[in-house]
Amino acid sequence: MHGMLQDLAMASYSNTGFNQELAYLEKQAADGTQPSMQDVMWSLMFGTSDARLRAAREVRKLTKTSSKSRAYLAAAGVIMPLVAMLKSSCEESKEAAVLALLNLAVGNERNKLRIVKAGAIGPLVELLQSENLFLKESAAAAIYTLSAASVNKPLLGASGAISLLVDMVKSGSLQGKVDAVMALYNLSTYPDNLTPILAAGAVGPLLALLKGCKKSSKVAEKTTSLLKSLVAFEEGKSALGKEEGGILALVEVLEDGSLRSRENAVGTLLLLCESNRCRYRQAILQEGAIPGLLELTVQGSPRAQQEAHSLLRLLRDSSPRSSRGTSPSAMLESIVYDIASHMDGEEQGTETARKILTEMVQLSMEQNMRNLQKRAILYLPSDLSHSSCLTEVSSK
């Protein structure tokens, strides 16, 4: 029977690479460093509960850093018995299985599809409802990894996982919240999943997470991207407008976020103001959005610059006018004077506007100088560039 198992494993993926990997693993087993692949497969398929537990832990260890082991073990057939273990009554077995599947899925698109095809979604959604916090958050991490595959997004969206992930954003540990947000972001790139994310009440928890996280982090990027997608719906706008400190959180991203986060934040604020200028204009102004918006008109991505200009036009005191025939610099100057006068009074507003515009000119000059330096280095003759580098290194 032992030999038959090896034959079955070999038949499932009989190529030179698999044979080499099997020989390598068998050599390690002979050296006493780890069980053979044959033993791992045997234990997963036919072993006692304890043997399956040990084998699942071994799969997790083998696949932790080795992309080859992920491919070869999956091809040998470990996924199906591991998915079966997710339904075990033993929490240790569930834990070992979900962590092994998680490692098998990382960085391997084919394994992501195999795991879902083997029926893992239902058991993982059940684990999201577990009272065992570690199991629950391990399941969220697995769903996050599986949700990166496009084919899996609609299946996961229809599974009931979304509302449970939103609950985790509300009340999970920090790592649980991060994994849940990342999973929701992946799922949101399939448009049909946006309505269930919104219906699950995601806006409030997302804003709470954004308030507490570092504004330049990847978490902030994904959170602001999600919020921008949700605010495209009227329900999303309404939910954000009702959240205390919601607009302030986006304004803080304008000032301290990464380029991507700032682009998401200005896009979200623009959607709000375009939908109901009377309702959102004053709230955005009161939270101090102007410095961040003005900086974006100079330093943002092309899209962020365009959206910052559009939002500034909506925030000006007078009704937005056509900018046809007006130069960008004159239009920006007019907007700054209008807003400053409204906020600080006409006399003080003029002084404020002058100060802001001076700072913007200085910022623009510094940005242009950096761009010129980059271009100069790029077009330096190779021998001159090389000698300059040598001089710089030797002087340190």
Side-chain angles (χ1 to χ4, degrees):
M1 180 67 76
H2 221 62
M4 286 175 61
L5 179 61
Q6 185 176 8
D7 290 341
L8 286 170
M10 292 288 287
S12 68
Y13 195 70
S14 56
N15 61 29
T16 303
F18 181 78
N19 292 337
Q20 289 175 344
E21 181 71 5
L22 181 61
Y24 169 72
L25 292 174
E26 293 291 358
K27 181 179 182 301
Q28 286 189 308
D31 294 342
T33 56
Q34 66 183 40
S36 68
M37 182 184 287
Q38 177 181 338
D39 289 336
V40 170
M41 288 298 303
W42 173 269
S43 297
L44 279 174
M45 291 182 174
F46 306 111
T48 63
S49 296
D50 287 343
R52 287 198 295 273
L53 176 59
R54 288 193 297 271
R57 287 172 174 168
E58 190 63 32
V59 171
R60 179 195 179 192
K61 185 167 71 173
L62 288 169
T63 54
K64 188 172 184 179
T65 57
S66 171
S67 58
K68 285 185 177 180
S69 292
R70 289 175 199 138
Y72 296 135
L73 284 165
V78 301
I79 288 175
M80 192 68 76
L82 286 171
V83 169
M85 286 179 68
L86 294 177
K87 305 170 187 176
S88 168
S89 59
C90 171
E91 290 199 346
E92 276 189 300
S93 294
K94 291 178 181 177
E95 176 187 315
V98 73
L99 294 175
L101 289 167
L102 174 59
N103 282 359
L104 283 163
V106 170
N108 191 306
E109 194 76 4
R110 177 178 287 186
N111 284 356
K112 290 178 175 67
L113 305 185
R114 283 172 167 160
I115 291 168
V116 168
K117 190 174 181 180
I121 291 180
L124 287 172
V125 171
E126 288 187 18
L127 291 183
L128 282 178
Q129 303 171 70
S130 172
E131 294 182 2
N132 181 319
L133 185 61
F134 185 80
L135 267 179
K136 180 187 294 190
E137 297 191 343
S138 297
I143 288 173
Y144 161 38
T145 304
L146 295 175
S147 66
S150 298
V151 177
N152 293 340
K153 296 176 193 285
L155 300 173
L156 287 163
S159 70
I162 285 175
S163 61
L164 298 169
L165 291 169
V166 171
D167 287 342
M168 187 166 291
V169 177
K170 291 180 187 175
S171 57
S173 68
L174 179 58
Q175 187 58 54
K177 290 179 179 181
V178 169
D179 288 338
V181 163
M182 295 299 191
L184 288 168
Y185 168 77
N186 284 347
L187 293 174
S188 74
T189 61
Y190 179 70
D192 287 356
N193 286 335
L194 286 171
T195 300
I197 293 173
L198 190 57
V203 171
L206 289 172
L207 284 169
L209 183 62
L210 184 61
K211 291 173 188 176
C213 75
K214 188 176 180 181
K215 302 303 183 286
S216 59
S217 65
K218 286 289 181 185
V219 175
E221 286 186 8
K222 303 305 182 186
T223 303
T224 52
S225 179
L226 261 170
L227 286 168
K228 184 178 179 181
S229 296
L230 296 175
V231 166
F233 297 85
E234 193 55 44
E235 298 91 333
K237 295 182 184 74
S238 177
L240 194 151
K242 290 176 182 176
E243 286 292 326
E244 185 176 353
I247 289 176
L248 176 59
L250 292 168
V251 169
E252 289 173 346
V253 173
L254 286 181
E255 297 173 348
D256 300 321
S258 66
L259 284 176
R260 182 63 59 83
S261 294
R262 296 171 82 189
E263 183 178 306
N264 292 333
V266 71
T268 304
L269 292 171
L270 180 59
L271 284 169
L272 288 173
C273 208
E274 284 178 333
S275 70
N276 191 331
R277 180 174 179 267
C278 294
R279 177 179 179 184
Y280 295 109
R281 173 181 170 274
Q282 191 62 31
I284 294 171
L285 284 172
Q286 285 176 343
E287 298 299 359
I290 301 306
L293 288 173
L294 290 172
E295 188 174 335
L296 270 185
T297 65
V298 176
Q299 291 189 324
S301 66
R303 181 170 183 173
Q305 289 182 18
Q306 180 182 359
E307 292 186 334
H309 275 287
S310 297
L311 183 54
L312 283 166
R313 282 196 296 271
L314 289 170
L315 294 177
R316 69 192 307 173
D317 190 29
S318 55
S319 299
R321 296 184 293 267
S322 172
S323 58
R324 188 177 302 169
T326 305
S327 69
S329 60
M331 182 183 65
L332 185 59
E333 183 176 344
S334 172
I335 291 170
V336 172
Y337 275 107
D338 276 353
I339 293 173
S341 298
H342 174 74
M343 296 297 290
D344 298 335
E346 188 170 342
E347 184 175 341
Q348 182 62 36
T350 300
E351 183 61 32
T352 301
R354 285 198 186 113
K355 183 178 178 182
I356 290 173
L357 288 168
T358 301
E359 291 174 354
M360 290 303 299
V361 169
Q362 180 65 29
L363 185 63
S364 181
M365 290 173 63
E366 291 173 359
Q367 181 69 22
N368 289 337
M369 182 60 70
R370 283 194 291 269
N371 291 338
L372 285 171
Q373 288 172 342
K374 287 178 183 177
R375 285 198 290 271
I377 292 171
L378 184 64
Y379 291 109
L380 276 174
S382 58
D383 56 342
L384 180 58
S385 177
H386 181 65
S387 63
S388 298
C389 290
L390 288 176
T391 303
E392 185 177 349
V393 170
S394 62
S395 66
K396 288 182 180 179

